[in-house]
Amino acid sequence: MELTVVLTGDITASIRAHSEIERNFSPERSGGVVKGKTIGVVQDFSETVIVLDTGAGTADEELDEAELLHLVLHEYGHALIGRLSAGAGTRPPKANRPKTPEEVAAIWAYEAADEFRCDLISNTFLGTFATVTEGGGGSRPFTLADLVGEGYRDAFAGLLDQVHPGWPDLVFAYQTHQIGLDEMYEGLLLGTDGALTLIAHANAAEEAGGNPPLLSGFADHLAVRKILCSVWKPIREVLDSTPMLPSLDEFAAVDKAIQGCGKHMVAMWQSLGVSARLTQDDELQVFVR
């Protein structure tokens, strides 16, 4: 694997320059901004570029050593997993037609799982480079939880109302002719992607800190009870029962199991009244009941 690391003060421009499919990249995400990205220059990840945002040069914006180390380790995890999935033959092939909900859900399931894994890969190494001195004078390994604090948890708490009543309201807005079909469908799918990515990061931080799974602390919110739990719980069950970084021999089975969890995402969209299928002309037809 040929790996290039790019340190940049303008991550948006650098990612757009290195990736044909990221021409419209924007760093804003649920829970913060993207500070690192792994780009497979070729489909099998044998040539990979990692772009890291090191800030614009002022003292307040520059990354500290721990955050930079975390970004390097996290993104290197993506490069390794990308290479493994290519070797295992589980990377979805490129298609010139629109993706079905089932295909989108499978991709987002394994991408969320990868974010969780890569955070924990980083966490494993962070503790070998730094320690935290406790109040009594003892020390323990530095963790991802020490680095991110309550940031992901707070961002997740702020996201919940956007999921419920937000997503049902989005569908209702289309049904009552307030917005168009494409706006509703894209908003629902992109919202799902953002929520899953945030859940994955927040769960990894809770795991690193020795805390219970994230969703257990928000179980009474309708967003968790009616929507998010059914989507994330199956993915987490696969993650908890398989290695953090599966070997090539076992990778295909693990990756297929995670992608299979996408069916719960499709079922969630259907519970909101939204489904879609390809026509004979390979056009995506969206249905809302």
Side-chain angles (χ1 to χ4, degrees):
M1 182 171 68
E2 179 182 330
L3 178 64
T4 301
V5 178
V6 176
L7 304 180
T8 178
D10 187 345
I11 191 169
T12 299
S14 294
I15 288 176
R16 290 178 179 179
H18 283 89
S19 175
E20 289 291 333
I21 63 173
E22 295 285 359
R23 295 304 186 190
N24 297 317
F25 171 81
S26 175
E28 286 74 25
R29 295 291 187 274
S30 297
V33 296
V34 173
K35 292 188 176 181
K37 190 167 184 66
T38 300
I39 300 167
V41 179
V42 292
Q43 180 72 2
D44 67 358
F45 271 72
S46 59
E47 185 179 346
T48 307
V49 173
I50 292 176
V51 181
L52 301 176
D53 187 355
T54 56
T58 65
D60 291 339
E61 293 173 335
E62 288 180 347
L63 295 172
D64 62 24
E65 289 183 1
E67 188 174 4
L68 180 58
L69 179 60
H70 163 63
L71 286 176
V72 170
L73 294 167
H74 177 96
E75 297 303 328
Y76 185 58
H78 280 306
L80 286 175
I81 290 173
R83 193 75 176 107
L84 282 166
S85 64
T90 55
R91 293 195 65 78
K94 289 185 177 180
N96 293 324
R97 59 166 177 77
K99 292 182 176 64
T100 65
E102 290 77 12
E103 291 167 333
V104 170
I107 291 170
W108 286 347
Y110 79 69
E111 286 184 350
D114 288 357
E115 295 298 340
F116 179 85
R117 284 184 182 139
C118 290
D119 273 351
L120 291 186
I121 290 171
S122 168
N123 182 67
T124 299
F125 285 96
L126 284 174
T128 68
F129 286 94
T131 58
V132 175
T133 301
E134 304 282 16
S139 63
R140 59 170 177 79
F142 183 79
T143 71
L144 177 64
D146 296 311
L147 178 63
V148 302
E150 298 290 322
Y152 283 133
R153 170 177 277 271
D154 291 344
F156 179 71
L159 176 74
L160 290 176
D161 287 346
Q162 297 177 40
V163 175
H164 197 291
W167 293 356
D169 287 349
L170 185 68
V171 178
F172 182 73
Y174 164 72
Q175 292 169 326
T176 53
H177 311 291
Q178 300 174 57
I179 61 174
L181 181 62
D182 289 345
E183 182 180 352
M184 181 279 296
Y185 186 68
E186 291 177 9
L188 178 60
L189 266 64
L190 291 177
T192 303
D193 182 26
L196 265 182
T197 300
L198 180 55
I199 288 172
H201 286 305
N203 266 272
E206 297 297 310
E207 177 83 3
N211 300 318
L214 173 76
L215 297 188
S216 63
F218 300 90
D220 292 336
H221 197 289
L222 289 176
V224 172
R225 187 149 46 91
K226 287 192 169 186
I227 297 176
L228 297 176
C229 186
S230 65
V231 176
W232 174 253
K233 185 178 178 182
I235 298 173
R236 182 65 192 265
E237 288 175 349
V238 176
L239 290 167
D240 286 344
S241 61
T242 55
M244 180 170 56
L245 188 63
S247 67
L248 181 58
D249 289 340
E250 59 194 344
F251 194 91
V254 175
D255 206 31
K256 288 176 182 177
I258 289 174
Q259 291 188 42
C261 294
K263 65 185 179 184
H264 302 286
M265 210 179 307
V266 175
M268 179 271 290
W269 293 328
Q270 292 173 344
S271 74
L272 296 173
V274 180
S275 59
R277 63 175 175 80
L278 289 175
T279 67
Q280 291 182 343
D281 298 326
D282 278 345
E283 298 293 331
L284 190 68
Q285 188 172 12
V286 180
F287 301 90
V288 181
R289 58 170 173 81

